[in-house]
């Protein structure tokens, strides 16, 4: 954890609204991408999983994401056939869906908890099982620069599509109330939650990104001292003439641009000593929201771990109130 503030003073962060330019064809780009994925979709498959988590039901989920690719996940919920609200969780950079039943807090709180595996990741700090079968041109190690010179080839086009497709699928799962689906995640997972809410319209009823990554790229790639943003700076240090193309591609996936499309209630978190995701990026995305019901929890003395379990308790109370569970 960083020992001092890693970004601008708090009073400036609370006013920070960078002038980020969206591509002229942003809406058409994502409409076409999602239409192609939905045309290639096949029925989701749920398989019961045995294990020691006896108080909850655990199911292995396979659904189709970008390009009809098979994406794995877990569905964890209370036993029974009661129709419940759902929380869809996306995973931080380098991680995967984990082991069966490893994540169960939201189900314990009375929600259907759906965890998405992350294509091509899942071997850094938590296990994943979903490959990314698409190659790319030369890239720096990691996924941040895979296909970065062309928005149609960029890795995050595929991953954002997976996230939006999962929202489609969750709303059709047995025992899920399709009018009460929330998205959440930390770091990369928070960026994916923003993307899923932005690309899914009113299908997402609430969004809860924690210390969200993938926002305000022009500022982040020149100011952030830690990986993974530095993958992009390292790439551009070698590909010296590629900055314009790279920044154009990043504008299609920038959470501080996509957040303008979000009207759902939103609860964000930020660590003011975060040197992995600078607070300015979180504030930029938060200030871009079109939501009338939005809050940002500030953790003054925390880094990229954010508010931890304390913030999860805040999330539960906040979501219970909006979904009528309070």
């Amino acid at each position: 954890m960083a020992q001092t503030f890693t970004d601008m003073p708090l009073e400036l962060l609370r006013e920070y609204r960078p002038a980020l330019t969206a591509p002229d064809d942003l809406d058409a780009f994502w409409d076409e991408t999602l239409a192609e994925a939905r045309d290639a979709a096949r029925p989701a498959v749920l398989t019961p999983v045995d294990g020691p988590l006896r108080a909850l039901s655990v199911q292995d989920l396979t659904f189709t994401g970008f390009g009809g690719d098979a994406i794995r996940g877990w569905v964890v919920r209370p036993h029974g056939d009661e129709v419940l609200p759902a929380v869809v969780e996306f995973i931080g950079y380098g991680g995967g869906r984990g082991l069966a039943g490893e994540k169960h807090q939201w189900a314990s709180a009375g929600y259907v908890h759906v965890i998405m595996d992350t294509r091509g990741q899942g071997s850094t700090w938590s296990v994943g099982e979903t490959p990314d079968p698409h190659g790319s041109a030369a890239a720096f190690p990691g996924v941040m620069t895979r296909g970065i010179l062309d928005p149609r080839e960029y890795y995050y086009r595929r991953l954002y599509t997976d996230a939006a497709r999962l929202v489609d699928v969750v709303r059709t799962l047995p025992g899920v109330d399709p009018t009460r689906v929330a998205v959440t995640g930390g770091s990369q997972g928070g960026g994916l939650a923003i993307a899923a809410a932005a690309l899914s319209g009113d299908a997402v009823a609430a969004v809860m990104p924690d210390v969200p990554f993938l926002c305000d790229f022009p500022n982040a790639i020149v100011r952030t001292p830690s990986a993974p943003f530095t993958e992009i700076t390292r790439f551009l240090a070698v590909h010296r003439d590629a900055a314009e193309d790279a920044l154009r591609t990043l504008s299609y996936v920038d959470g501080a641009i996509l957040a303008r499309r979000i009207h759902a209630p939103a609860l964000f978190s930020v660590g003011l000593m975060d040197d992995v995701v600078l607070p300015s990026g979180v504030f930029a995305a938060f200030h871009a929201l079109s939501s009338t019901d939005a809050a940002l929890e500030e953790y003054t003395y925390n880094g990229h771990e954010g508010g931890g379990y304390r913030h999860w308790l805040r999330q539960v109370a906040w979501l219970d109130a909006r979904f009528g569970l309070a």
Side-chain angles (χ1 to χ4, degrees):
M1 187 182 76
Q3 297 303 307
T4 58
F5 286 147
T6 57
D7 213 348
M8 59 188 72
L10 184 56
E11 61 269 20
L12 296 181
L13 287 170
R14 288 175 174 166
E15 299 299 325
Y16 181 62
R17 291 169 172 81
L20 299 171
T21 302
D24 292 340
D25 65 341
L26 180 69
D27 290 343
F29 174 85
W30 282 113
D31 288 348
E32 178 186 344
T33 298
L34 294 174
E36 290 174 355
R38 287 167 178 149
D39 286 344
R42 298 181 300 278
V45 177
L46 286 170
T47 305
V49 176
D50 292 328
L53 211 63
R54 300 182 185 93
L56 298 170
S57 165
V58 181
Q59 295 173 300
D60 190 327
L61 169 68
T62 302
F63 71 99
T64 48
F66 176 87
D69 297 337
I71 311 297
R72 304 294 294 277
W74 300 119
V75 178
V76 187
R77 59 162 294 149
H79 287 295
D81 55 7
E82 182 181 358
V83 176
L84 300 171
V87 173
V88 179
E89 182 178 357
F90 306 108
I91 305 301
Y93 193 79
R97 65 175 181 166
L99 302 177
E102 186 174 349
K103 291 178 173 289
H104 54 264
Q105 284 177 302
W106 280 107
S108 298
Y111 289 83
V112 178
H113 186 191
V114 183
I115 304 103
M116 187 181 87
D117 205 7
T118 310
R119 64 166 64 226
Q121 298 187 40
S123 294
T124 301
W125 57 271
S126 69
V127 67
E129 297 185 54
T130 302
D132 181 20
H134 304 267
S136 78
F140 187 84
V143 301
M144 295 294 293
T145 63
R146 292 184 187 173
I148 196 171
L149 301 184
D150 182 346
R152 296 190 62 81
E153 301 299 323
Y154 192 40
Y155 170 82
Y156 280 99
R157 180 192 182 215
R158 301 192 289 277
L159 192 57
Y160 281 19
T161 302
D162 296 344
R165 278 286 303 128
L166 181 54
V167 172
D168 292 345
V169 169
V170 168
R171 297 179 77 230
T172 70
L173 293 180
V176 169
D177 180 350
T179 69
R180 293 185 294 170
V181 174
V183 291
T184 192
S187 191
Q188 175 183 256
L192 289 170
I194 292 171
L199 299 177
S200 299
D202 60 7
V204 168
V207 55
M208 301 179 294
D210 293 337
V211 295
F213 180 43
L214 304 166
C215 301
D216 192 17
F217 279 103
N219 180 64
I221 63 175
V222 297
R223 292 175 55 88
T224 310
S226 303
F229 276 121
T230 53
E231 292 179 21
I232 299 173
T233 54
R234 294 286 298 277
F235 176 88
L236 294 176
V238 175
H239 297 270
R240 293 173 174 84
D241 300 320
E244 182 177 353
D245 288 339
L247 287 168
R248 177 177 178 271
T249 292
L250 293 171
S251 68
Y252 287 87
V253 300
D254 195 321
I257 291 175
L258 290 175
R260 300 167 188 170
R261 300 170 54 141
I262 297 176
H263 296 270
L267 175 62
F268 279 52
S269 76
V270 62
L272 296 182
M273 293 186 177
D274 194 339
D275 61 352
V276 175
V277 169
L278 295 184
S280 56
V282 179
F283 278 89
F286 178 74
H287 288 148
L289 292 168
S290 296
S291 308
T292 57
D293 176 4
L296 172 58
E297 288 283 306
E298 299 166 356
Y299 294 97
T300 304
Y301 302 102
N302 289 99
H304 199 49
E305 77 283 2
Y309 185 74
R310 178 194 179 281
H311 186 67
W312 181 75
L313 295 174
R314 172 81 174 93
Q315 285 182 321
V316 175
W318 182 88
L319 193 60
D320 281 355
R322 281 146 187 84
F323 280 5
L325 273 66

